[in-house]
């Protein structure tokens, strides 16, 4: 059976997927000589790219006649650098694509190269003299640097693009997308088999469209099969196909060998982890830096094979940081890091040492019953059944995985009540957002789908306040809208007491659904002025300028970020440029939070560049922290607070790990490719002045893919644990969750849950101002705003507020957005849970008995002392 029923469709599917594989192999890398001379110095480079060869000859003629390179680049170039006069940056020629590197060979400052054909057009390079570097990157500059090879992404092993192409071809037969979530699972399953069959048949017959297969097409066929097998986790089959491609390339396509060596090493390492149970059974061996350096896998043969191919690659390209990193990880699995790593390729453990000790966080997911095995997904932690304890809801990008509901039993364990909750047929969903949209006192769930993929429907699950949920997507008016989205935010944009919904979109306009107060929504995105088309990945809400209306910040991939100022009349004005918050150009998860406790919401936004090499060396743009200046603009303080590093975060969130009153950050790393394993990072906020990496001391450096993350007090001790969904974008990269139990300290705390009356019931947008005297000499202020949480992972609506050591003289001030009222409470006792209702003169103490997680059992992952 082909991807389509007709022979024509079958051939189209084969061509489509094989062409993608050929592109990856052809453009990734070329084999360098081990005897290459020392790397040349970095050069200021300019580039002009035009559509045709005739255009290129015309540009050369103009340049030779004396016309200015920068002006011509702005006028003629189709490259992203055109707005900067063609300035690429100060680059080492060895970092460029082979054809650009070869064109530069032998040229000197001020000289032009010959015309170079690229996939994007025809290029002319110039070694510039006195070229001033641009102050920042224009929105598409990173794409241009990736395209020229200056930023190295590395081999891609996961099969997600191939599987998605197969899905889309097969789905046409059914007229999908439609309103059937179950149909998506069926198509995903059947389309993979349908994509594999014709490639295997053609490779066996040696014919393609009636003609003998060329070596290049044979390699493309084997690599495409390798990717499709890798997608589902059939790694032995995947390795077999990579090997077949590698054997062919030895004689027929030597330029493909580096890509295939890296792909084989990656595949063997992934197979080794699967064989040793690392993905299904959490172990300290997949935390980095290693907690037990002599611990190793029981089965080591596949890791040794990985090392063989990584070393073969590095013999020719010794400076490739991505492959060097994977080599170091392979030695970790043998219990031979760092001592066994060849000195030339060692990435020292000291580079990851913590400067502060916050205590060891121990993973209790298995003991707590939260070790669910999932792909990339979202996470909600809140009290969904109103018993005062925090439950967990987990989604998965896998179109065949249901959303799971875990009830907190109050004894350190959780019960899987997915079936009882009515969620078994709610499949897929890379992310979710929670809110009490109908003000009935019970928190509802919105499941988001289509992110990184193709348009799909959302699911709005109304909480029935009895432990069950009802799908009201169609009844609410959300069912008619298909989105490519993994991010949305709830906020009351007009202060009518009902929460409205902003849905970010990829390759389409954003959506704004106005809550009509009767359980239904009206889409007003165009009228509101927020329907710009962008590849949006994150959305956060806050009243950043203190005018009483909620605003939105939207992070975008390959484009400027948006800051939508609420005009107070159901319309918004985009002011990102004026406010100074458009970067980074490759953005991902984002949030508002008051990192320095000055009472004004600041903006944190991740950079996301799926390059291990860049994460190691920090060459490209970094994440951003924007401090609110209190005048509608923001100051970039990223470097000032020590966050000017390239990470590779997907999920991320914030909370106060040590109850000092300052909000810390946990970053979950990764990208779809199996090559992208980087330790998650825990960054402690040091009194609002800097962020200090405490990953090593806390033991939270999970190496596998991180997605939904939440900070939450799961055991009612007044301290926040870190809950993290671990798992990649494809079924072959599923992993069990992590629950890092907070070791605690002696700092005081206060847990506050607000209940709105005129303001929305969940109190989203309400601000809490705590004044406290602790070990410091003078009273200090701590601020929290309900509803401020990450765009990937959701913290509870209750606010667990650290007060520092020896806290006393605690005062609370609550500001309510809809009623514009304030409440003032003095003499508040520390270390207690309280509930405050809008307009009330007194607060209510919430009585809980703290409990502990069960003691974790020794790891069942197949590892042992070396």
């Amino acid at each position: 059976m082909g991807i389509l029923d007709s022979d024509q469709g079958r051939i189209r599917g084969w061509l489509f997927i094989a062409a993608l594989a050929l592109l990856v192999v052809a453009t990734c890398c070329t084999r360098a000589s081990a005897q290459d001379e020392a790397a040349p110095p970095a050069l200021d480079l300019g580039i002009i790219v035009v559509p045709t060869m005739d255009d290129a000859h015309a540009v050369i003629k103009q340049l030779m006649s004396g016309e200015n390179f920068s002006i011509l680049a702005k006028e003629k170039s189709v490259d992203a650098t055109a707005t900067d006069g063609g300035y690429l940056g100060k680059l080492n020629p060895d970092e460029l694509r082979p054809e650009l590197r070869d064109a530069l060979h032998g040229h000197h400052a001020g000289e032009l190269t010959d015309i170079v054909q690229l996939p994007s057009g025809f290029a002319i390079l110039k070694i510039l003299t006195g070229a001033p570097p641009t102050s920042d990157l224009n929105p598409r500059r990173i794409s241009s640097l990736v395209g020229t090879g200056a930023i190295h992404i590395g081999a891609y092993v996961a099969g997600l693009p191939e599987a998605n192409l197969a899905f889309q071809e097969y789905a046409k037969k059914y007229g999908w997308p439609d309103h059937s979530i179950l149909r998506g699972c069926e198509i995903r399953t059947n389309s993979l088999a349908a994509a594999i069959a014709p490639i295997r048949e053609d490779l066996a017959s040696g014919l393609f469209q009636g003609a003998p297969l060329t070596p290049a097409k044979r390699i493309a066929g084997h690599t495409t099969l390798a990717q499709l097998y890798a997608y589902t986790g059939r790694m032995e089959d995947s390795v077999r196909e990579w090997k077949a491609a590698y054997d062919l390339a030895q004689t027929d396509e030597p330029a493909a060998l580096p890509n295939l060596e890296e792909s084989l090493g990656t595949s063997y390492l992934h197979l080794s982890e699967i064989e040793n149970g690392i993905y299904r059974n959490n172990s300290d061996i997949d935390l980095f830096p290693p907690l037990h350096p002599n611990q190793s896998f029981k089965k080591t043969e596949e890791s040794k094979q990985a090392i063989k191919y990584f070393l073969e690659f590095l013999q020719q390209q010794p400076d490739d940081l991505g492959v060097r990193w994977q080599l170091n990880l392979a030695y970790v699995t043998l219990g031979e890091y760092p001592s066994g790593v060849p000195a030339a390729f060692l990435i020292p453990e000291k580079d990851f040492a913590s400067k502060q000790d916050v205590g060891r966080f121990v993973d209790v997911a298995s003991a707590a019953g939260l070790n669910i095995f999932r792909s990339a997904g979202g996470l909600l932690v809140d009290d969904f059944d109103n018993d005062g304890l925090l439950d967990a809801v987990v989604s998965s990008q896998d179109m065949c995985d249901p959303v799971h509901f875990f009830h907190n039993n109050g004894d350190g364990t959780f019960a899987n009540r997915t079936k009882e909750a009515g969620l078994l047929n709610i499949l897929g969903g890379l992310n979710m957002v929670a809110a009490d949209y109908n003000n009935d006192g019970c928190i509802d769930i919105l499941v988001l789908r289509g992110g990184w993929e193709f348009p799909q429907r959302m699911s709005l699950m109304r909480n029935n306040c009895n432990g069950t949920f009802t799908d009201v997507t169609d009844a609410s008016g959300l069912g008619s809208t298909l989105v490519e989205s993994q991010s949305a935010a709830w906020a009351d944009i007009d202060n009518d007491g009902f929460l409205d919904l902003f849905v970010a979109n990829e390759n389409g306009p954003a959506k704004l659904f106005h809550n009509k107060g009767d359980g239904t929504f009206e889409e007003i995105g165009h009228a509101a002025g927020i329907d710009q088309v962008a590849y949006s990945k994150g959305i956060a809400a806050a009243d950043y300028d203190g005018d009483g209306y909620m605003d939105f910040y939207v992070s975008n991939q390959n484009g400027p970020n948006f800051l939508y100022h609420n005009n107070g009349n159901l319309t918004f004005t985009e002011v990102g440029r004026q406010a100074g918050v458009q970067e980074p150009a490759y953005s991902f998860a984002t949030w508002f939070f008051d990192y320095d406790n000055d009472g004004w919401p600041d903006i944190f936004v991740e950079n996301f560049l799926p390059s291990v090499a860049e994460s190691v060396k920090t060459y490209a743009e970094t994440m951003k922290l924007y401090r609110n200046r209190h005048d509608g603009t923001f100051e970039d303080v990223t470097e000032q607070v020590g966050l000017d590093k390239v990470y590779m975060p997907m999920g991320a969130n914030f909370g106060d790990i040590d109850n000092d009153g300052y909000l810390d950050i946990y970053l979950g790393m990764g990208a779809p490719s199996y090559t992208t394993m980087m330790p998650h990072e825990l960054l402690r906020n040091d009194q609002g002045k800097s962020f200090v990496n405490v990953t090593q001391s806390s033991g939270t450096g999970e190496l596998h893919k991180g997605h939904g993350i939440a900070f939450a007090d799961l055991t009612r001790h007044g301290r926040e644990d870190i809950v993290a969904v671990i798992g990649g974008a494809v079924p072959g990269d599923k992993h069990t969750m992590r629950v890092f139990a907070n070791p605690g300290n002696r700092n005081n705390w206060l847990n506050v849950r607000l209940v709105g009356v005129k303001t929305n019931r969940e109190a989203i947008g309400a601000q809490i101002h705590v004044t406290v005297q602790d070990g410091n000499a003078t009273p200090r202020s701590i601020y929290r705003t309900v509803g401020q949480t990450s765009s990937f992972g959701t913290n509870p609506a209750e606010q667990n507020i650290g007060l520092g050591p020896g806290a006393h003289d605690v005062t609370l001030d609550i500001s309510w957005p809809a009623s514009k009222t304030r409440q003032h409470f003095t003499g508040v006792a520390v270390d207690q849970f309280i509930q405050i209702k809008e307009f009330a003169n007194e607060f209510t103490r919430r009585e809980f008995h703290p409990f502990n997680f069960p003691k974790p059992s020794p790891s069942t992952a197949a590892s042992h002392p070396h």
Side-chain angles (χ1 to χ4, degrees), residues 557-576:
Q557 285 265 303
N558 200 19
N561 299 331
F562 304 143
L563 179 61
Y564 287 109
H565 175 259
N566 190 331
N567 299 321
N569 58 2
L570 294 181
T571 69
F572 293 78
T573 302
E574 203 287 296
V575 296

Side-chain angles (χ1 to χ4, degrees), residues 517-702:
D518 60 359
T520 67
F521 295 84
E522 176 187 8
E523 207 287 305
I524 62 168
H526 180 68
I530 60 87
D531 60 335
Q532 294 194 59
V533 176
Y535 202 86
S536 299
K537 302 305 298 181
I539 170 72
D543 178 11
Y544 76 88
D545 57 353
D547 66 355
Y549 290 95
M550 295 288 278
D551 313 294
F552 294 105
Y553 183 72
V554 181
S555 66
N556 299 312
Q557 285 265 303
N558 200 19
N561 299 331
F562 304 143
L563 179 61
Y564 287 109
H565 175 259
N566 190 331
N567 299 321
N569 58 2
L570 294 181
T571 69
F572 293 78
T573 302
E574 203 287 296
V575 296
R577 180 182 294 277
Q578 300 93 305
V581 294
Q582 289 188 307
E583 295 185 73
Y586 263 47
S587 296
F588 203 75
T590 185
W591 58 70
F592 285 97
F593 74 150
D594 186 358
Y595 85 94
D596 55 358
N597 278 326
D598 68 351
W600 292 82
D602 311 298
I603 297 174
F604 173 84
V605 55
E606 296 175 344
N607 67 304
F608 178 70
L609 190 65
S611 168
V612 172
E614 295 307 320
S615 295
V616 175
K617 71 179 181 179
T618 305
Y619 173 82
E621 61 177 357
T622 71
M623 66 181 94
K624 292 292 183 182
L625 179 61
Y626 294 110
R627 187 183 67 82
N628 196 320
R629 287 192 176 111
H630 316 169
D631 62 359
T633 69
F634 293 79
E635 175 190 4
D636 183 350
V637 295
T638 311
E639 183 176 359
Q640 177 181 323
V641 300
L643 291 177
D644 54 331
K645 185 183 186 306
V646 174
Y647 290 103
M648 192 169 39
M650 296 283 285
N653 217 324
F654 62 91
D656 185 355
I657 59 171
D658 52 2
N659 281 342
D660 67 348
Y662 291 95
L663 293 168
D664 313 299
I665 296 172
Y666 189 58
L667 303 174
M669 305 301 179
S673 177
Y674 296 160
T675 61
T676 53
M677 287 197 296
M678 292 296 295
H680 298 194
E681 303 280 0
L682 183 58
L683 307 173
R684 179 180 177 269
N685 185 338
D686 195 352
Q687 300 182 24
K689 298 175 182 177
S690 66
F691 286 84
V692 180
N693 193 320
V694 293
T695 306
Q696 180 266 336
S697 66
S698 64
T700 55
E702 167 65 54

Side-chain angles (χ1 to χ4, degrees), residues 30 95 125 172 195 212 286 375 396 496 498 614 622 648 738 805 860:
T30 58
E95 297 175 314
L125 286 168
K172 293 174 183 176
D286 55 348
S375 298
S396 169
D496 65 352
F498 290 94
E614 295 307 320
T622 71
M648 192 169 39
R738 290 279 195 179
T860 56

Side-chain angles (χ1 to χ4, degrees), residues 728-782:
V730 301
D733 208 8
K734 289 185 177 182
H735 199 287
T736 49
M737 286 178 61
R738 290 279 195 179
V739 179
F740 290 110
N742 194 317
N745 56 57
R746 296 183 179 180
N747 287 347
N748 298 117
W749 53 272
L750 187 67
N751 185 292
V752 182
R753 182 175 283 272
L754 301 183
V755 179
V757 177
K758 184 175 182 180
T759 298
N760 64 88
R761 179 72 175 267
E762 198 176 344
I764 288 178
Q767 187 181 70
I768 302 169
H769 175 199
V770 180
T771 305
V772 60
Q773 183 149 355
D774 56 18
N776 297 313
T778 58
R780 65 184 179 115
S781 291
I782 302 168

